[in-house]
Amino acid sequence: MRILISAGEASGEMYGAQLIDALRRRDPSLEFFGVGGDRMRAAGCDTVVDAKDLAVVGISEIVSHLPKIYGLFHKLIAEADQRHPALAIVIDSPAFNWRVARRMRKRGISVVYYVCPQFWAWRQGRVRLLRKYIDKALVIFPFEEKFYRDRGVDATFVGHPLADLSPPSIDREIYAATHHLDPAKPWITLMPGSRTKEVRMNLPTTLEAAAKLGSEYEFLLPVAPTLDHTFLESLIGSRPSIHLVSDALPALAQSRAGIIASGTATVEAALMGTPFVMVYRVSALTYLLGRPRVKVPHFAMVNLIAGKEIVPELVQHDFTATKVVARLREILPDGHPRNHILEGLASVRKLLQGPNADHLHPAERAAEAIWKLLQPTPVQT
């Protein structure tokens, strides 16, 4: 039995790999093909399209990449027509994946959307696309189930795929020696995004803030799977205090604080219990076109989940090095501002874990729902 699975960026392909593993525990003979990266390939997915090739962000950025994206899209659909999947699973990346869902549904193939588009944040009218093309929506934030169900979508909250993560048990001294860090200094993790355009928009100001904070800190920059070391090195230049590391979670767990771009990285920081300042910048055109459509009171996911501001947010014109440094200096020392964030992050983690009665990992809950769709419908007599 073949399954098409499409995940268009770093976080999505991580969830895709988890899901493939969970489904294979139910049936090792399942075959997977589609869109993904190194993690999904390691899980056994034949990646017809590499997720790196779809890693663009923003309205104006997508427009400039349309010919390439459409070419990859048609390559995937042609492969699906040859392999005849029993089911299609699309993960996040709505600009690409709702088109995949539409083509699969027109071919009579059931479609599951795992990690649904954040239509509750903006463009709420697009929920009609889910009603039309999706058989089942598996959502990862607790408030999403009601939002989608109220609008006629068969949605189930399965919990966040990262919610059960524990801080990696790595010795600080060993980690410091491996990455040439001073273990006596406080460390700050920098996460400017997982896509090239995001990094170009967010990293320069982040590096400026790091320079203002000075040599009393060490700065760790985890390299997302969708990015190249050489690209990051070209932006960092000769700054000696910026250290590229391979994995985000150990960096966050060992850091005193973070400067984190809006997205999945903010959830990772929350789960590691690392206070941070959320930052984000897009092109002027993308911001001009998109800002009036935003329907939520906060940009940071942890603030949305909590229903209040836990971490400071610096977006677009407010995202300056001076403001980043000012907010960090409030939360780096022990005291009420830092404790307020730590308590808030702990409450967010609890909310993200989902139903506790079954003690299942969210990926297992998602796999269970998908497995039911794969079972033949009993013949009525």
Side-chain angles (χ1 to χ4, degrees):
M1 187 184 294
R2 297 184 183 92
I3 296 176
L4 183 153
I5 184 165
S6 176
E9 53 189 280
S11 58
E13 79 114 1
M14 183 197 320
Y15 307 151
Q18 289 180 344
L19 187 57
I20 290 170
D21 287 339
L23 284 166
R24 280 232 167 102
R25 281 191 283 274
R26 286 162 172 77
D27 183 354
S29 70
L30 290 174
E31 296 180 11
F32 296 87
F33 73 96
V35 182
D38 291 340
R39 290 186 177 100
M40 284 172 58
R41 280 190 285 273
C45 181
D46 179 8
T47 51
V48 177
V49 174
D50 196 298
K52 284 183 180 180
D53 294 330
L54 297 178
V56 296
V57 62
I59 297 168
S60 60
E61 294 81 11
I62 288 173
V63 169
S64 66
H65 286 78
L66 275 178
K68 176 183 177 182
I69 292 171
Y70 273 115
L72 295 171
F73 170 74
H74 288 297
K75 180 182 179 183
L76 176 66
I77 301 305
E79 199 69 26
D81 287 339
Q82 286 187 356
R83 301 199 193 194
H84 305 292
L87 180 78
I89 303 168
V90 293
I91 304 174
D92 207 357
S93 304
F96 185 84
N97 275 332
W98 79 259
R99 290 173 172 84
V100 175
R102 179 176 63 182
R103 290 294 185 93
M104 294 302 101
R105 189 64 179 271
K106 285 182 176 179
R107 286 158 171 76
I109 297 168
S110 295
V111 181
V112 174
Y113 214 128
Y114 183 38
V115 189
C116 275
Q118 296 175 2
F119 290 150
W120 39 264
W122 69 313
R123 305 179 83 176
Q124 293 187 2
R126 290 216 160 190
V127 172
R128 70 183 187 278
L129 299 174
L130 294 184
R131 284 198 304 269
K132 190 172 182 180
Y133 301 122
I134 302 300
D135 295 275
K136 184 72 177 178
L138 302 174
V139 299
I140 64 171
F141 297 114
F143 57 84
E144 291 182 311
E145 183 176 275
K146 184 178 187 304
F147 173 85
Y148 284 115
R149 287 196 172 205
D150 286 351
R151 288 156 180 81
V153 178
D154 181 7
T156 299
F157 172 53
V158 295
H160 198 285
L162 302 178
D164 292 336
L165 281 178
S166 298
S169 56
I170 184 168
D171 182 83
R172 185 178 177 86
E173 297 285 341
I174 294 174
Y175 189 86
T178 301
H179 297 289
H180 309 290
L181 298 159
D182 183 345
K185 292 182 179 180
W187 300 349
I188 297 175
T189 293
L190 314 178
M191 298 184 72
S194 63
R195 292 171 283 193
T196 301
K197 184 66 175 183
E198 279 183 315
V199 174
R200 288 192 189 279
M201 299 299 292
N202 295 322
L203 185 55
T205 304
T206 300
L207 293 175
E208 187 182 345
K212 285 179 177 290
L213 284 164
S215 59
E216 62 184 284
Y217 299 97
E218 296 270 34
F219 300 94
L220 287 65
L221 203 168
V223 182
T226 47
L227 297 173
D228 292 322
H229 273 76
T230 52
F231 164 66
L232 291 170
E233 288 166 352
S234 69
L235 293 177
I236 293 168
S238 59
R239 294 173 176 85
S241 60
I242 310 296
H243 304 268
L244 297 182
V245 298
S246 56
D247 295 314
L249 298 182
L252 287 167
Q254 293 288 341
S255 287
R256 183 70 178 174
I259 306 173
I260 315 289
S262 176
T264 302
T266 64
V267 176
E268 292 177 332
L271 297 176
M272 293 299 102
T274 307
F276 64 94
V277 177
M278 190 227 83
V279 300
Y280 207 65
R281 181 181 290 120
V282 293
S283 70
L285 177 59
T286 294
Y287 189 77
L288 178 67
L289 295 174
R291 184 63 184 95
R293 302 182 183 185
V294 175
K295 306 294 184 184
V296 291
H298 305 288
F299 285 91
M301 183 55 69
V302 294
N303 293 342
L304 286 170
I305 295 166
K308 60 183 179 180
E309 182 170 302
I310 292 173
V311 299
E313 302 180 354
L314 297 174
V315 177
Q316 207 66 5
H317 304 300
D318 285 333
F319 176 22
T320 66
T322 300
K323 289 186 177 182
V324 171
V325 170
R327 298 296 180 273
L328 277 175
R329 292 202 186 281
E330 293 171 359
I331 65 176
L332 281 165
D334 290 329
H336 176 71
R338 182 177 181 84
N339 290 338
H340 171 74
I341 291 181
L342 289 171
E343 290 168 6
L345 297 182
S347 70
V348 166
R349 178 177 187 134
K350 188 174 181 179
L351 288 168
L352 286 174
Q353 286 175 337
N356 291 319
D358 56 14
H359 303 292
L360 289 176
H361 185 277
E364 292 289 345
R365 291 192 201 105
E368 189 173 79
I370 292 166
W371 185 247
K372 289 177 182 177
L373 288 177
L374 288 170
Q375 303 313 302
T377 303
V379 177
Q380 299 295 323
T381 58

